[in-house]
């Protein structure tokens, strides 16, 4: 049972005393006194430098989430278990990423869950890969495709830092060459021309499987919807999510000065079990 998340082991009655303890290899969110955050992997003998001093990460071993460690300058950093949103936003970016708000809707609309088998193209910086891997664990798999080797190297490192590598298989290949998987539950296309990946997606999906595409412009969405219908997909739907943060202070609450508005159009559809229309 050791492949299960610590939280699952806790529910099963195992490791009740230790599942909240920080151990070597854990990914930790360090929060400084001025509310800046840093994501690190805790290891014996490893240090981390920040604007508030150097931290000996070994001092985090054995501590509980919510505890603090102190830098050489006397500043206390809180140790938190990073959420999926924080893991996504902390990736090293070689490309534009899929934002958490869009990733969350993709997961719900396509019903990605523990045990799901998901094909993703393209990998990019691995932000969406992390969200998918977190959702399919502990017994599912994400098969991610990227044609640029330098992007794969960066994405592998980003996924490794989250501790989710075991749930991801990386492939260096162009989507137009097809996917080797068959009978998968979900295919997600984050491509400049997603329609090139739609026939391969149809072949890879199980009957009734779900597809999602991410596109920044109307023209891309229009062409994608046309090809989805021609290929044999049904219940085609396109949405856009806008999320606004607020600065909350008594008597001064107002929208945040910085808002990420349009990040992309999300198109969803289901595979109809019928022959592809040429």
């Amino acid at each position: 049972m050791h492949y299960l998340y610590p939280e699952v082991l806790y529910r099963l009655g195992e490791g009740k005393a230790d599942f909240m303890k920080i151990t070597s290899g854990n990914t930790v969110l360090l929060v400084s006194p001025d509310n800046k955050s840093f994501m690190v992997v805790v290891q014996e003998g490893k240090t981390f430098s920040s604007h508030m001093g150097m931290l000996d990460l070994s001092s985090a071993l054995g501590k509980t989430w919510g505890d603090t460690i102190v830098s050489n300058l006397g500043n206390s950093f809180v140790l938190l278990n990073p959420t999926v949103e924080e893991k996504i936003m902390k990736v090293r970016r070689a490309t534009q990423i899929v934002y958490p708000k869009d990733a969350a809707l993709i997961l719900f609309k396509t019903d990605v869950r523990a045990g799901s088998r998901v094909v993703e193209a393209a990998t990019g910086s691995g932000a969406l890969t992390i969200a998918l891997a977190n959702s399919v664990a502990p017994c599912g798999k994400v098969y991610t495709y990227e044609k640029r080797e330098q992007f794969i190297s960066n994405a592998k490192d980003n996924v490794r830092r989250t501790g989710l590598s075991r749930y991801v298989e990386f492939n260096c290949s162009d989507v137009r060459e097809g996917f080797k998987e068959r009978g998968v539950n979900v295919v997600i296309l984050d491509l400049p021309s997603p329609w090139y990946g739609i026939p391969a997606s149809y072949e890879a999906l199980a009957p009734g499987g779900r597809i999602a595409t991410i596109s920044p412009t109307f023209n891309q969405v229009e062409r994608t919807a046309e090809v989805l219908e021609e290929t044999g997909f049904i219940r085609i739907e396109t949405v856009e999510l806008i999320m606004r943060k607020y600065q909350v202070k008594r008597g001064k609450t107002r929208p945040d000065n910085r808002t990420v508005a349009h990040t992309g159009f999300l198109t969803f559809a289901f595979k109809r079990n019928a022959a592809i229309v040429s």
Side-chain angles (χ1 to χ4, degrees):
M1 281 192 175
H2 297 295
Y3 66 89
L4 294 176
Y5 282 169
E7 292 86 347
V8 177
L9 289 173
Y10 177 78
R11 288 198 296 270
L12 294 176
E14 300 183 22
K16 288 184 178 179
D18 299 326
F19 90 103
M20 293 182 67
K21 299 294 184 182
I22 296 171
T23 60
S24 182
N26 280 167
T27 301
V28 173
L29 194 74
L30 298 171
V31 182
S32 65
D34 59 353
N35 206 36
K36 289 184 168 57
S37 61
F38 311 89
M39 198 168 74
V40 300
V41 177
V42 172
Q43 292 176 341
E44 186 72 40
K46 189 175 180 180
T47 60
F48 175 76
S49 295
S50 78
H51 63 300
M52 289 197 164
M54 181 175 291
L55 291 162
D56 176 8
L57 296 182
S58 301
S59 63
L61 296 172
K63 287 188 176 288
T64 301
W65 301 115
D67 284 348
T68 60
I69 58 175
V70 181
S71 75
N72 65 327
L73 298 180
N75 294 305
S76 295
F77 286 68
V78 181
L79 305 166
L80 297 180
N81 192 357
T83 64
V84 180
E85 178 186 23
E86 288 157 339
K87 290 176 181 178
I88 288 175
M89 296 305 293
K90 295 292 185 183
V91 299
R92 297 188 181 99
R93 302 187 190 188
T95 62
Q96 178 60 269
I97 67 167
V98 176
Y99 278 82
K101 67 181 179 69
D102 295 324
L105 186 64
I106 289 170
L107 294 175
F108 274 76
K109 294 285 282 186
T110 59
D111 198 27
V112 175
R113 62 174 76 181
S116 293
R117 297 174 64 238
V118 182
V119 168
E120 175 198 26
T123 311
S125 296
L128 181 59
T129 315
I130 290 168
L132 294 169
N134 185 77
S135 294
V136 305
C139 51
K141 199 78 171 181
V142 178
Y143 308 93
T144 186
Y145 286 75
E146 173 59 61
K147 67 179 182 180
R148 291 154 292 194
E149 290 185 3
Q150 68 271 28
F151 290 171
I152 291 179
S153 177
N154 180 61
K156 280 184 176 179
D157 189 51
N158 284 330
V159 174
R160 179 192 58 78
R161 291 171 65 221
T162 68
L164 294 167
S165 297
R166 76 189 75 173
Y167 308 115
V168 182
E169 180 182 301
F170 291 88
N171 298 277
C172 187
S173 176
D174 191 303
V175 66
R176 283 178 275 196
E177 298 173 7
F179 305 122
K180 62 179 182 289
E181 293 76 26
R182 292 293 181 268
V184 301
N185 305 102
V186 178
V187 175
I188 300 169
L189 303 177
D190 182 11
L191 303 165
S193 304
W195 46 91
Y196 289 136
I198 290 174
S201 301
Y202 189 95
E203 291 297 323
L205 282 166
R210 298 164 293 280
I211 188 172
T213 71
I214 307 163
S215 300
T217 71
F218 287 124
N219 291 342
Q220 290 167 310
V221 171
E222 290 170 355
R223 179 65 179 143
T224 298
E226 289 172 0
V227 177
L228 282 170
E229 186 172 7
E230 292 169 359
T231 306
F233 287 91
I234 61 171
R235 293 184 61 81
I236 301 167
E237 175 190 24
T238 297
V239 301
E240 178 189 19
L241 292 179
I242 303 293
M243 186 174 75
R244 172 185 272 183
K245 288 187 177 181
Y246 280 78
Q247 296 180 9
V248 179
K249 292 182 180 180
R250 181 175 294 180
K252 298 180 180 180
T253 299
R254 59 181 178 80
D256 200 327
N257 290 330
R258 299 178 62 186
T259 298
V260 178
H262 174 72
T263 52
F265 299 108
L266 308 178
T267 299
F268 303 95
F270 290 76
K271 175 181 176 179
R272 183 181 62 215
N273 195 18
I276 297 178
V277 178
S278 57

